[in-house]
Amino acid sequence: MDKTVITYGTFDMFHIGHLNLLRRLKAMGDRVIVAVSTDEFNQRKGKKTLIPYDQRAAIVGAIDCVDLVIPEESWEQKLRDVKEHDVDVFAIGNDWQGKFDFLEDLCEVVYLPRTKDISTTDLKRSLKRFLSIPQEDLSKAFEVLELLRRDLE
Ligand code: C2G
């Protein structure tokens, strides 16, 4: 009997923390369903996203350990999804520890350790810092790097 695992998330600026989580889900079962937060729902979550829903859903759907992508449009849909998709395990990062224990009557609830030192927030901050460097300073830095690379050849 196939074991179905479900998770929910924004998956903005897809990174290794997201991939690690999805791979762990695949290791826990046979079928992985990912509910990707819509842009409207992210607004309700108070979360600003850079990448629109259709692209975030397409990227998650292209990951080989993901079998089905559905939209996450509300907090309440988890109960319906678990029943509708005959889910055996609900899993999510432990930044949500305890928040979804109400699902325990319907399926196993697992909170997984987050991947350290990576988050969409940090990526956005680094990108902002990088883009605030004056263009001429960047050009000079790249010239120096090129000279160093040649010296090392
Ligand atoms: N994650 C992780 N390690 C990181 C970053 C994220 O394991 N370094 C996990 C999160 O714990 C979550 C998933 O990747 O399980 C997606 O993270 P987000 O896109 O930030 O999801 P979030 O906005 O927390 O949405 O109803 C639940 C919410 O929709 C979860």
Side-chain angles (χ1 to χ4, degrees), residues 7-12 15-22 24 35-37 41-42 45 47 72 74-75 78 90-96 100 112-120:
T7 194
Y8 294 72
T10 303
F11 297 99
D12 193 24
H15 56 65
I16 191 65
H18 298 139
L19 184 59
N20 287 341
L21 177 93
L22 297 177
R24 278 192 295 228
V36 176
S37 314
F41 182 53
N42 272 316
K45 278 164 55 174
K47 196 153 190 174
E72 180 185 27
S74 73
W75 293 111
K78 293 183 178 69
F90 165 90
I92 197 162
N94 61 7
D95 42 322
W96 293 92
F100 304 112
L112 296 162
R114 281 171 65 93
T115 300
K116 291 197 178 2
D117 307 325
I118 183 93
S119 73
T120 304

Side-chain angles (χ1 to χ4, degrees), residues 44 62 76 85 88 124 152:
R44 283 166 49 203
E76 299 75 26
H85 295 281
D88 301 287
K124 285 180 186 171
L152 290 172

Side-chain angles (χ1 to χ4, degrees), residues 17-36:
H18 298 139
L19 184 59
N20 287 341
L21 177 93
L22 297 177
R23 283 179 168 157
R24 278 192 295 228
L25 299 188
K26 192 65 179 176
M28 292 165 71
D30 308 287
R31 188 169 73 122
V32 173
I33 302 174
V34 182
V36 176

